[in-house]
Amino acid sequence: LKLRCMDVNENVPIDVLIHEISSEKKNDFTLYRNTEQYEETIEKSPIHLTEAGFSINSDGVVIISGGTGELGTEVASFLAKNNIKKLVLLGSKNKNHNNEQLRKLQEICDVFEVDAVNIEDYNEVNDLVNNIREKYGKIAGVLHLAGKAGDGFIYKKSIDDFMKVYRPKALGALNLHVATLQDDIEFFVEFSSISSLDYNVGQSDYTAANMVLDSLAEYRRENSMAAVSIQWPAWREIGIAQRMNAINEEEEFLPMDTDEAIRVLAQIMRTKTIPPVIMPGLKKKSINRDKGAIVKAERNIGRRNVKLYGLENPDEIDVAVAEIWAETLDIEEIDINDDFEELGGNSLLTSQMLKQYEKRFQGMLDITDLFKYTTISKQAEYLKQRLGYQTEEKEEEQQALNCLLYTSPS
């Protein structure tokens, strides 16, 4: 099953769409405006990290949405350490905002306020921003970190499920944008995701929301307003990928440690010539050796010892599938009939599992197979069918059949 995304407006002629659909060149994402086609491009924009601090020109207040989560308090602490001592943290209404890190921030800040708000409701956001402005004066900047993780394939999702992920991030950004238009803010930083660049199956809602953030940053820049949307790769120690147990060191762009990510954030915020949308990931170095060495290295990736239960005599395919599961789920023991989701599997881990299969059995499985066959037993059985693999038992049956077919009648 191959899925593509085409972004079109109402003026795109039907024959253009037909030509695009039938074209042999099939990009994952393409955009049409009238008869013009646009494709995504990536350009290098090196970020040179320094140890210098970060400061703002005014004595205004900084608003951080999603500020009460792990990521938010880490960013708030970074700002406070750099003499930005007027902070208002926005959190969701159903969370406990009383923790040790928030109490420490309160002690060192001149202005520190935590507000529960429905970030996707414009009236609530606007009223709150007006209240902040009346109490503390100028709003100096906004960091939009609010967001929820998406999980699950789109065919399983209702509109409500989709919107629970989409609204806080996408509408939250738009609401903060509109509510602060009267303020000449120095920075408007959006925490987007590499999912806007490297599409992951099972993340349609999350990816769509992050693409709104990227577009909003472009729009603000075009209209001479401060903005940057950062397409973060995974953070190893905190954040959505860490909570979902989906940190993958084999990704093309490596995960980041928290200290490294904060240094990158500081550099982005202090650099005036940064592009409106930037992905600060470090690309994984390829193995630059002869072909034989590369093949050998690839074959060693993902192999690990695993105890497989529920099968008396597992064959090499059973073992290979079990190793892939163990690598993906970071486990050492597994039953051949355990269900993937019951072991903590999710859409991000399913994508990682597919990459492991591609390394060892290229082209044999696609993502739909992985959510159709959700146990080692079923995946191994299907993989054997695709490979034309025969067990010793089946070989004996075939040999017996051949004897019947080729034995002359007496």
Side-chain angles (χ1 to χ4, degrees), residues 45-211:
S45 184
I47 301 172
H48 302 290
L49 299 183
T50 66
E51 297 301 329
F54 169 77
S55 62
I56 57 178
N57 297 323
S58 74
D59 190 35
V61 179
V62 173
I63 297 173
I64 307 176
S65 73
T68 58
E70 305 177 291
L71 213 58
T73 51
E74 196 70 43
V75 170
S77 298
F78 148 70
L79 294 175
K81 289 174 184 175
N82 284 276
N83 288 320
I84 300 175
K85 297 295 182 71
K86 292 184 177 180
L87 301 176
V88 176
L89 276 52
L90 309 185
S92 62
K93 291 185 173 180
N94 58 353
K95 284 190 177 180
N96 180 10
H97 299 147
N98 185 25
N99 64 48
E100 185 61 29
Q101 199 163 3
L102 294 181
R103 284 192 288 273
K104 287 181 180 178
L105 282 167
Q106 190 167 18
E107 291 172 2
I108 63 175
C109 287
D110 300 329
V111 169
F112 184 76
E113 181 174 309
V114 176
D115 292 307
V117 63
N118 181 4
I119 196 71
E120 59 197 67
D121 185 317
Y122 172 71
N123 290 327
E124 277 197 38
V125 173
N126 191 52
D127 290 345
L128 180 59
V129 169
N130 285 334
N131 185 260
I132 292 168
R133 197 182 289 114
E134 288 173 6
K135 285 195 289 186
Y136 307 121
K138 175 181 170 59
I139 295 173
V142 172
L143 291 102
H144 179 51
L145 282 65
K148 296 179 180 179
D151 185 24
F153 301 100
I154 194 167
Y155 83 100
K156 291 183 176 180
K157 292 183 181 182
S158 66
I159 292 294
D160 286 343
D161 290 336
F162 186 98
M163 288 301 176
K164 283 176 184 176
V165 175
Y166 177 83
R167 285 193 182 111
K169 186 173 278 283
L171 296 187
L174 293 170
N175 291 339
L176 288 167
H177 157 70
V178 176
T180 58
L181 281 174
Q182 64 179 278
D183 302 281
D184 184 21
I185 61 178
E186 294 184 39
F187 56 86
F188 191 96
V189 179
E190 302 170 302
F191 273 42
S192 180
S193 164
I194 197 171
S195 68
S196 296
L197 187 66
D198 183 18
Y199 312 121
N200 280 322
V201 293
Q203 296 286 304
S204 55
D205 39 17
Y206 186 67
T207 300
N210 284 305
M211 293 179 84

Side-chain angles (χ1 to χ4, degrees), residues 1 3 152-156 201-202 339-341 347 350 353 366-375 379:
L1 179 64
L3 299 180
F153 301 100
I154 194 167
Y155 83 100
K156 291 183 176 180
V201 293
D339 186 82
F340 184 67
E341 287 190 4
S347 57
T350 304
M353 179 180 282
D366 62 34
I367 199 69
T368 57
D369 299 323
L370 298 187
F371 63 74
K372 182 177 181 182
Y373 306 108
T374 59
T375 66
Q379 285 185 12

